[in-house]
């Protein structure tokens, strides 16, 4: 299935960073007023006494790919983990501000974290399949809720593996250990596993940083395929990657959101000097 | 250049460090290997078989005629008793006659016609041609001359006539012995189908020292004339008939009647049919050996029945132990005998039912006996010489059968596993079954693991997965602190506090885990209904701390009301109720007490290791699970536990190893009764406690000493295997991950 893409001109402004323009994907044309599905306002975050995020405001448009870029330690992963409250699992963290998913504050005490995390899937930097079969990995999420029958589960597993472009490679070895897959396959399996929850938002935390270029290309293809059906927020170190696959780019620096705009705007006409310095490789 | 020098130094240091590390590792392996080798070395002699060194035999003159012979403990002097009633003592080194004694004071023309030496030596029963029978007690005593050369003489012989009627009855079969102030004599008159038992009681006037002997003679009819007979202890006797019957008799308590014992046999055995040639008591007179025509040797022993009477039990039978079986000789110290054939002999051990190797025997031998120190076998040959053959018995009473199979011991009602290593008398036979000790060890470990493994594992899971931050570190440190309690303190606690306190509260103690678990579940259900704002105050697993006061209150209430509860429910304490209703015996120091006390030692150990195993599950996995919308519990059960399982199993097995090897707690809190019973309300004795109790008192190099080393080896092997299995599970599990 291809996203309803309207091909646009490859942006010539991208010449400023080394992008292989042949690989450049055409971004989906999304109206600027695309409805935000996640709305973050004035988000502060502390690890113990160390503040990691300072008053971040960001809207994540529905159905688009949002890339979070910035140097190491700038708070992009922390920000990402705030969206599905994965930071709750860390000792001694504090948070203020609001994170709304579909208008509902996810930090409201009445929110069921378990349900939140079903709606907001997450894929981590290092592939982390469970030491069980490929099938069981994908079926893990649905089984937690015991909603599906055997047949439905089979169908869902197949659908998710297909969505993650892993079906052809794994259809004959679903009952084999997921640990036998290559790193790239494992990461796609983790994406399939996250998709099996039928999430609204998919968070990708540097999903390619542990992979070789080949596997990276496959994941990028996959992200491209998933765009439109899922809202994707991905952290990346790789600016080319952000430029290739994202619709919106947010640049973080020292815990602050410096700039967030359409990707082509950020990469061609950044409004802040720090952004320009970063994407032109002066630091970072 | 300078850089090179520093490189060399660095390399040198690196090699040195590697060497030290390697040395440490090798040292540990060596220490374990040394320990195992030491235990094996100490236990290995048990495997040696008795040997007779026929090639190192020497021959000494003793003289040709006589009824009986004997040697002194050093086998330097030998005596014989002639038909004229003369005891002749000769030096076995140079053949010189040392002494002659005539203790029997025979009438003119009266001769000795039969005589028998008691198995322990020192007592001779002799019958004369006129029908009189006496018991003579004498010893061969050493004397040291001016040059400290050792020479020998007879001690003053004590001769007591137990049948003093010179009626001319031909008495050829007799046996006699002395038990403190009682003299026993059994005899049969040639041609009469009767057996007599004589009891003599000695009363000594304390002022004058004069002895008064009162004699009483009982008789019982036999179906046929006796072929031979032998005394048992306390006046029992066994008669073998020429028609093949072997009968046991026992006087009643008041010595009025001589009652026959019923006869039984071990399963699969039947008494032989051949006519009896000889009946001989083993030392201690707890059992007899019967020689039959047709080369059959049997071991019979009286054993108590439920109604306190005795039955004569055929324990072992051997077909053709030697060519032309004629007689047996017995050891004066243990249940070892020599089956004597025409031209060969064979060493045997009656308890284990073992026969060992053969050795040649000069044809035409007159008698065979084992010297008091069991180091020389003396064979009185037809030519009047004594052939002295060095013997090494080693440990014939300590065999695989005695350690691991049920043994019919003398005086016990049935074959059993018995550990009872020492007794009050010299002829006491050590009973060294390791089965009760192994069972006790496993039972103690089992009852220690039963409460502590679930607590330790659940606690570890809670600590590793649900507790956070400082609370987790605090709990972990506290539990690890518990592991440092010296086990002697725990043993003390178990023996002097828990045992008496639990005595009337077993119902409460057994109900406690159930009640607490129910309370926790109930509270959990209530907790889920509380408003979220309340619950959030106790995030990070601290909610469980609210349970603590509840647990304390519940436990306190339950234990306080224990005696009342048992009285109200059962009408009597649980232990009494179990005894009355189900005949379950109860002892105050039992496996439950030990299980609780040992739990304090095992729980922290297993907890610590299991907590590490749970915590070592990569954070990636639990995060992935949580990110997929799993609850903490689902994450714990589905994602954390499976990969941690090898580590958890390993932790449990190390706990088992600890429980198996634990000494002090079981020593103090079990009562140390070596019984083979899995009943948790009874005590037990473990291998380790047994070592602690008995090794300090075991004679070095003796069978018991070596058996203790064998049990130490067994214990070592058990813990080693358990720990090895734990390591194997752990390593294998890690590879899989």
């Amino acid at each position: 299935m291809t996203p309803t893409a309207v091909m646009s001109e490859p942006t010539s402004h991208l010449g400023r960073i080394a992008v292989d323009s042949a690989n450049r994907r055409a971004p989906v044309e999304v109206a600027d007023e695309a409805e935000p599905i996640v709305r973050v306002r004035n988000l502060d975050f502390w690890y113990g006494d160390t503040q990691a995020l300072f008053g971040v405001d960001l809207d994540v448009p529905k159905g688009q790919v949002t890339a979070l870029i910035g140097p190491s330690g700038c708070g992009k992963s922390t920000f990402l983990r705030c969206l599905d409250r994965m930071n709750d699992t860390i000792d001694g963290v504090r948070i203020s501000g609001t994170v709304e998913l579909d208008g509902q504050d996810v930090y409201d005490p009445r929110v069921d974290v378990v349900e939140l995390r079903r709606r907001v899937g997450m894929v981590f930097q290092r592939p982390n399949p469970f030491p069980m079969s490929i099938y069981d990995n994908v079926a893990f999420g649905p089984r937690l809720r015991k909603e599906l029958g055997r047949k439905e589960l089979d169908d869902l597993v197949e659908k998710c593996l297909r969505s993650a472009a892993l079906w052809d490679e794994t259809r004959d070895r679903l009952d084999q250990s997921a640990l036998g897959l290559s790193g790239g396959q494992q990461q796609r399996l983790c994406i399939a596993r996250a998709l099996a929850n039928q999430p609204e938002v998919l968070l990708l935390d540097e999903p390619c940083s542990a992979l070789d270029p080949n596997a990276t290309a496959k994941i990028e293809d996959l992200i491209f395929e998933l765009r439109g059906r899922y809202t994707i927020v991905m952290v990346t170190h790789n600016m080319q990657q952000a430029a290739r696959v994202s619709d919106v780019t947010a640049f973080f620096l020292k815990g602050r959101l410096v700039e967030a705009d359409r990707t082509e705007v950020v990469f061609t006409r950044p409004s802040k000097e720090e952004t320009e310095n970063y994407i032109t490789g002066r630091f970072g | 250049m300078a850089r090179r020098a520093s490189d060399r130094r660095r390399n040198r240091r690196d090699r040195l460090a590697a060497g030290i590390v390697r040395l440490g590792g090798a040292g540990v392996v060596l220490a374990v290997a040394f320990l195992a080798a030491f235990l094996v070395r100490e236990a290995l002699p048990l495997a040696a078989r008795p040997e007779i060194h026929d090639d190192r035999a020497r021959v000494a003159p003793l003289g040709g005629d006589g009824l009986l012979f004997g040697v002194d403990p050093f086998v330097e002097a030998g005596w014989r008793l002639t038909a004229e009633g003369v005891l002749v003592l000769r030096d076995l080194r140079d053949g010189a006659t040392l002494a002659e004694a005539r203790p029997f004071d025979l009438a003119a023309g009266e001769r000795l016609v039969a005589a028998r030496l008691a198995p322990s030596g020192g007592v001779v029963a002799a019958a004369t041609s006129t029908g009189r029978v006496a018991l003579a007690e004498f010893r061969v005593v050493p004397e040291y001359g001016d040059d400290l050369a050792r020479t020998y003489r007879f001690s003053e012989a004590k001769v007591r006539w137990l049948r003093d009627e010179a009626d001319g009855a031909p008495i050829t079969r007799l046996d006699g012995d002395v038990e403190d102030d009682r003299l026993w004599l059994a005899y049969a008159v040639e041609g009469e189908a009767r057996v007599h038992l004589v009891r003599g009681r000695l009363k000594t006037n304390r002022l004058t020292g004069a002895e008064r002997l009162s004699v009483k003679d009982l008789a019982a009819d036999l179906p046929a004339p006796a072929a031979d007979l032998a005394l048992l202890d306390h006046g029992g006797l066994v008669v073998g008939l020429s028609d093949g019957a072997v009968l046991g008799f026992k006087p009643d308590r008041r010595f009025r009647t001589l009652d026959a014992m019923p006869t039984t046999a071990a399963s699969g055995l039947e008494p032989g049919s051949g006519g009896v040639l000889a009946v001989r008591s083993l030392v201690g007179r707890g059992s007899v050996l019967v020689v039959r025509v047709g080369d059959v040797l049997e071991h019979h022993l009286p054993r108590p029945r439920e109604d306190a009477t005795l039955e004569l039990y055929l324990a072992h039978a051997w077909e053709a132990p030697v060519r032309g079986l004629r007689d047996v000789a017995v050891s004066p110290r243990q249940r070892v005998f020599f089956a004597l054939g025409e031209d060969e002999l064979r060493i045997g051990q009656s308890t284990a039912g073992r026969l060992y190797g053969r050795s040649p025997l000069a044809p035409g031998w007159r008698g065979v006996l084992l010297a008091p120190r069991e180091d020389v076998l003396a064979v009185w040959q037809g030519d009047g010489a004594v052939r002295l053959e060095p013997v090494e018995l080693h440990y014939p009473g300590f065999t695989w059968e005695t350690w691991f199979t049920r043994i019919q011991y003398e005086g016990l009602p049935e074959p059993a596993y018995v550990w009872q290593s020492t007794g009050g008398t010299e002829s006491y036979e050590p009973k060294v079954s390791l089965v009760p000790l192994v069972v006790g060890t496993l039972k103690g470990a089992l009852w220690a693991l039963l409460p502590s493994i679930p607590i330790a594992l659940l606690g570890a899971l809670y600590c590793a997965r649900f507790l956070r931050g400082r609370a987790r570190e605090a709990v972990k440190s506290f539990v690890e602190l518990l592991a440092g309690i010296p086990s002697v303190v725990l043993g003390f606690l178990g023996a002097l506090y828990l045992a008496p306190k639990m005595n009337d509260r077993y119902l409460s103690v057994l109900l406690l885990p159930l009640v607490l678990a129910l309370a926790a579940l109930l509270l959990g259900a209530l907790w889920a209904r509380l408003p979220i704002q309340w619950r959030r105050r106790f995030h990070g697993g601290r909610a469980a701390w609210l349970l603590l006061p509840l647990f304390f209150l519940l436990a306190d209430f339950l234990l306080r009301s224990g005696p009342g509860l048992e009285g109200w429910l059962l009408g009597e304490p649980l232990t009494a109720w179990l005894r009355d209703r189900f005949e379950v015996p109860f002892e105050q120091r039992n496996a439950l007490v030990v299980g609780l006390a040992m739990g304090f030692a095992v729980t922290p150990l297993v907890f610590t290791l299991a907590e590490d195993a749970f915590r070592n599950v990569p954070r990636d996995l639990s995060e992935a699970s949580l990110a997929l919308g799993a609850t903490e519990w689902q994450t714990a059960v589905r994602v954390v536990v499976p990969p941690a399982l090898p580590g958890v199993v390993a932790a449990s097995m190390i706990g088992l190893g600890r429980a198996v090897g634990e000494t002090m707690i079981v020593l103090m809190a079990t009562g140390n009764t070596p019984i083979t019973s899995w009943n948790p309300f009874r005590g037990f004795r473990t291998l380790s406690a047994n070592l602690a109790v008995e090794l300090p008192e075991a004679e070095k190099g003796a069978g018991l000493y070596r058996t203790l080393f064998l049990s130490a080896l067994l214990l070592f092997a058990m813990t080693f295997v358990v720990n090895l299995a734990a390591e194997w599970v752990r390593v294998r599990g890690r590879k899989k991950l």
Side-chain angles (χ1 to χ4, degrees):
Chain A
M1 201 203 277
T2 51
T4 49
V6 178
M7 295 299 198
S8 75
E9 274 308 81
T11 41
S12 52
H13 315 286
L14 281 166
R16 287 203 287 175
I17 59 170
V19 172
D20 178 359
S21 54
N23 272 351
R24 170 79 179 124
R25 302 231 173 230
V28 184
E29 192 69 24
V30 181
D32 276 347
E33 60 273 18
E35 173 200 352
I37 184 166
V38 177
R39 190 193 296 266
V40 179
R41 287 291 173 272
N42 200 22
L43 186 68
D44 293 326
F45 188 86
W46 291 265
Y47 290 108
D49 296 332
T50 316
Q51 190 163 1
L53 292 176
F54 299 85
V56 175
D57 297 311
L58 182 69
D59 289 346
V60 175
K62 189 169 189 167
Q64 298 195 7
V65 178
T66 301
L68 311 180
I69 62 170
S72 296
C74 67
K76 40 190 203 301
S77 285
T78 301
F79 175 77
L80 193 74
R81 292 167 64 95
C82 284
L83 303 185
D84 65 345
R85 290 183 58 176
M86 279 306 283
N87 284 327
D88 290 12
T89 63
I90 300 168
D91 292 337
V93 298
R94 257 181 324 128
I95 193 163
S96 77
T98 57
V99 177
E100 286 178 10
L101 176 67
D102 270 345
Q104 159 86 61
D105 183 1
V106 302
Y107 283 93
D108 187 303
R110 278 163 306 204
V111 162
D112 182 358
V113 182
V114 166
E115 175 58 15
L116 169 72
R117 291 185 187 146
R118 189 202 61 74
R119 291 172 62 191
V120 182
M122 188 162 194
V123 174
F124 297 82
Q125 188 169 351
R126 265 178 36 196
N128 55 358
F130 299 126
M132 32 177 116
S133 74
I134 292 168
Y135 183 97
D136 290 342
N137 261 280
V138 180
F140 187 88
R143 276 180 177 160
L144 292 172
R145 282 169 288 281
K146 303 188 175 93
E147 291 158 345
L148 300 180
R150 176 82 213 171
K151 183 76 186 65
E152 292 166 298
L153 198 57
D154 286 351
D155 292 345
L156 180 66
V157 167
E158 178 177 343
K159 198 180 111 201
C160 293
L161 284 171
R162 279 187 193 281
S163 296
L166 198 59
W167 176 251
D168 294 332
E169 293 152 75
T170 56
R171 60 190 308 167
D172 301 325
R173 47 194 277 208
L174 289 178
D175 55 345
Q176 288 177 24
S177 169
L179 302 184
L181 296 174
S182 73
Q185 288 173 323
Q186 288 188 2
Q187 194 62 300
R188 277 180 283 148
L189 179 66
C190 291
I191 293 174
R193 186 174 66 185
L195 295 181
N197 269 340
Q198 296 165 303
E200 292 154 44
V201 179
L202 193 57
L203 309 177
L204 308 178
D205 189 356
E206 299 191 39
C208 303
S209 68
L211 304 181
D212 64 50
N214 237 333
T216 302
K218 283 198 174 165
I219 300 280
E220 285 179 17
D221 285 348
L222 176 58
I223 293 168
F224 203 75
E225 296 281 318
L226 297 175
R227 155 197 285 170
R229 282 187 287 153
Y230 300 93
T231 304
I232 295 176
V233 183
M234 73 183 281
V235 168
T236 178
H237 243 92
N238 180 331
M239 278 174 289
Q240 285 95 328
Q241 190 174 62
R244 279 195 298 267
V245 301
S246 68
D247 303 295
V248 173
T249 298
F251 174 56
F252 281 77
L253 186 64
K254 293 176 182 166
R256 291 171 208 279
L257 177 61
V258 176
E259 183 171 359
D261 207 334
R262 308 291 311 160
T263 298
E264 63 269 24
V265 174
V266 171
F267 277 96
T268 55
R269 306 182 297 276
S271 54
K272 296 279 168 43
E273 203 187 337
E274 294 103 315
T275 317
E276 177 150 3
N277 288 342
Y278 181 70
I279 59 178
T280 53
R282 296 214 183 116
F283 72 94
Chain B
M1 273 299 138
R3 207 185 133 195
R4 264 214 182 152
S6 84
D7 271 4
R8 265 207 304 276
R9 208 162 44 237
R10 225 161 46 132
N11 281 341
R12 228 181 5 247
R13 266 192 213 150
D14 189 49
R15 277 202 302 274
L16 184 72
I20 290 173
V21 168
R22 244 176 253 142
L23 204 69
V28 171
V29 173
L30 266 178
V32 172
F34 171 79
L35 188 65
F38 172 66
L39 294 178
V40 168
R41 199 194 70 175
E42 290 297 316
L44 205 58
L46 288 169
R49 303 173 137 253
E51 295 161 276
I52 298 175
H53 298 287
D54 187 47
D55 49 332
R56 284 196 268 131
R58 67 190 169 93
V59 178
L62 184 66
D65 61 331
L67 300 168
L68 281 179
F69 84 115
V71 293
D72 87 293
F74 296 100
V75 203
E76 290 174 342
W79 57 265
R80 65 191 161 90
L81 176 62
T82 68
E84 287 73 38
V86 183
L87 276 170
V88 182
L89 188 65
R90 286 183 75 170
D91 194 315
L92 294 179
R93 293 164 294 190
D94 55 13
T97 300
L98 298 171
E100 282 193 2
R102 295 171 182 275
F104 289 102
D105 193 19
L106 298 180
E110 193 178 23
R111 292 165 54 83
L112 296 184
V113 292
R116 166 116 56 147
L117 186 65
S120 53
V123 178
V124 168
T128 70
S129 53
T130 60
R132 298 201 297 154
V133 185
L135 288 191
E137 283 180 84
F138 64 92
R139 283 179 303 126
V140 176
V141 291
E143 271 188 338
Y144 296 90
D146 293 338
D147 52 356
L148 290 181
R150 215 168 15 215
T151 180
Y152 293 89
R153 62 174 175 84
F154 286 116
S155 67
E156 184 83 7
K158 288 181 203 156
V159 175
R160 283 127 186 171
W161 293 96
L162 289 182
R163 188 178 194 277
D164 212 1
E165 300 147 45
D167 55 1
I171 295 169
T172 51
R173 303 292 168 206
L174 79 170
D175 193 8
D177 214 338
V178 178
E179 275 175 14
D180 301 325
D181 61 343
R182 306 237 162 152
L183 311 177
W184 295 105
L185 169 69
Y187 68 91
V189 177
E190 194 79 20
E192 273 184 23
R194 278 164 79 79
V195 64
H196 293 261
L197 177 69
V198 180
R199 184 187 69 182
R201 286 166 86 174
L202 273 178
K203 287 206 174 124
T204 312
N205 186 319
R206 296 209 175 156
L207 286 178
T208 62
E211 275 184 356
R212 202 163 61 82
L213 180 68
S214 59
V215 173
K216 202 164 175 187
D217 189 322
L218 283 184
D221 289 327
L222 300 172
D228 197 7
L229 51 78
L231 271 177
L232 296 168
D233 53 359
H234 310 302
L237 68 102
V238 176
V239 188
L241 307 186
S242 46
D243 67 358
V246 174
L247 305 171
F249 291 94
K250 175 94 185 164
D252 71 334
R253 201 172 281 273
R254 296 154 136 199
F255 208 73
R256 296 255 171 86
T257 55
L258 195 56
D259 307 323
M261 301 179 195
T263 55
T264 59
S267 63
L269 282 189
E270 261 183 51
S273 54
V276 172
L277 290 175
V279 182
R280 298 271 175 179
S281 311
L282 285 154
V283 71
R285 294 202 184 267
S287 61
V288 298
L289 292 166
V290 173
V291 176
R292 289 180 187 277
V293 173
D295 291 354
V296 174
L297 183 59
E298 291 174 355
H299 178 223
H300 294 257
L301 54 91
R303 61 177 197 179
R305 304 203 302 173
E306 273 183 21
D307 59 359
T309 61
L310 294 173
E311 63 184 16
L312 193 65
Y313 174 82
L314 171 62
H316 301 103
W318 297 274
E319 303 258 349
V322 288
R323 279 187 301 273
L325 180 66
R326 267 172 56 189
D327 202 350
V328 286
V330 300
S331 157
R333 294 169 84 160
Q334 48 181 332
R335 272 62 171 176
V336 168
F337 60 88
F338 297 82
L340 308 173
E342 288 301 335
D343 57 355
E344 65 172 358
L345 65 80
R346 205 156 165 198
I347 305 179
Q349 209 281 339
S350 64
T351 311
R354 280 262 192 131
L355 284 181
Y356 295 99
R358 294 161 200 268
S359 181
L361 190 58
W365 52 269
R366 291 159 174 272
V368 175
L369 64 76
L370 189 63
R373 281 150 47 107
E374 297 190 299
D375 53 351
V376 172
L377 188 72
V379 180
W380 195 16
Q381 302 184 141
D383 59 3
V386 181
R387 188 179 165 83
L388 302 168
E389 300 172 352
V391 173
E392 282 180 277
L393 287 183
H394 297 296
Y395 308 95
F398 298 85
T399 64
W400 180 83
E401 290 93 337
T402 56
W403 295 319
F404 298 112
T405 65
R406 291 177 192 276
I407 292 286
Q408 173 64 60
Y409 284 107
E410 295 168 0
L412 294 189
E414 59 190 0
Y417 303 116
V418 185
W419 176 276
Q420 207 171 4
S421 57
T422 47
T425 60
E426 266 182 44
S427 61
Y428 183 82
E429 180 177 31
K431 299 169 180 64
V432 290
S433 178
L434 297 180
V435 172
L437 306 178
V438 171
V439 167
T441 302
L442 295 179
K443 174 174 153 184
L446 182 80
W447 285 102
L449 294 189
L450 218 57
S452 55
I453 291 278
I455 291 176
L457 296 189
L458 290 174
L461 190 61
Y462 170 73
C463 189
R465 289 301 315 169
F466 294 85
L467 266 184
R468 293 270 183 74
R470 286 226 305 278
R472 167 155 83 182
E473 296 313 319
V475 167
K476 190 160 186 195
S477 318
F478 178 72
V479 175
E480 280 168 2
L481 205 68
L482 273 182
I485 299 179
S487 60
V488 64
V489 174
L490 296 176
F492 179 80
L493 182 82
L496 298 182
Y497 182 78
L498 285 181
K501 284 280 178 193
M502 280 167 70
N503 211 10
D504 49 1
R505 290 182 175 81
Y506 277 97
L507 193 61
S508 308
V509 170
L510 293 173
L511 280 178
L512 195 58
L514 198 70
V515 169
L516 293 188
L518 279 178
L521 287 179
L522 205 67
L523 208 72
L526 283 176
W527 180 252
R529 286 166 194 274
L530 286 179
I532 185 87
Q533 283 87 346
W534 289 28
R535 282 191 273 157
R536 275 170 70 86
R537 290 187 158 182
F538 295 95
H539 61 87
R542 262 168 281 179
W545 293 22
L546 291 176
L547 277 174
L548 284 181
L550 178 77
F551 274 18
F552 272 117
L553 286 175
L554 264 177
D556 187 61
F557 172 75
L558 201 61
L559 292 177
R560 263 178 213 282
S561 57
L565 188 70
E566 289 180 13
W568 178 65
L569 275 177
L570 309 171
E572 57 187 337
L574 177 70
T575 52
W577 184 75
L578 283 173
R579 195 175 48 226
D580 297 345
R581 290 288 289 269
F582 302 102
E583 297 186 345
V584 177
F586 168 80
E587 286 151 18
Q588 198 190 61
R589 294 189 184 178
N590 58 44
L592 288 178
V593 172
V594 173
L596 276 186
M598 200 139 65
F600 282 98
V602 173
T603 307
L605 182 69
V606 176
F607 172 91
T608 306
L609 295 171
E611 211 264 355
D612 286 343
F614 287 132
R615 221 192 278 199
N616 283 343
V617 172
R619 204 182 147 74
D620 281 6
L621 294 184
S622 51
E623 282 211 319
S625 168
L626 291 173
L628 285 168
T631 60
E632 280 285 352
W633 177 246
Q634 284 172 324
T635 302
V637 171
R638 296 179 190 214
V639 176
V640 175
V641 170
L645 212 53
V648 169
V649 171
S652 307
M653 290 176 92
I654 287 172
L656 173 66
R658 166 79 208 259
V660 164
E662 171 55 47
T663 309
M664 215 55 217
I665 297 172
V666 288
L667 184 68
M668 295 176 79
T670 60
N672 288 312
T673 40
I675 52 168
T676 309
S677 157
W678 291 98
N679 178 357
F681 290 108
R682 299 192 69 184
F684 55 93
R685 183 189 282 203
T686 67
L687 286 165
S688 53
N690 186 58
L691 281 168
V693 171
E694 306 223 353
L695 200 52
E697 302 193 14
E699 178 196 345
K700 189 173 186 296
L704 173 63
Y705 175 85
R706 300 212 182 276
T707 297
L708 288 172
F709 270 90
L710 181 82
S711 74
L713 193 64
L714 195 67
L715 181 61
F716 179 84
M718 278 166 76
T719 50
F720 191 73
V721 163
V722 168
N723 284 343
L724 208 65
E727 190 58 20
W728 184 76
V729 167
R730 218 167 54 81
V731 169
R732 223 178 97 95
R734 198 191 285 150
K735 259 189 218 143
K736 256 201 213 152
L737 211 73

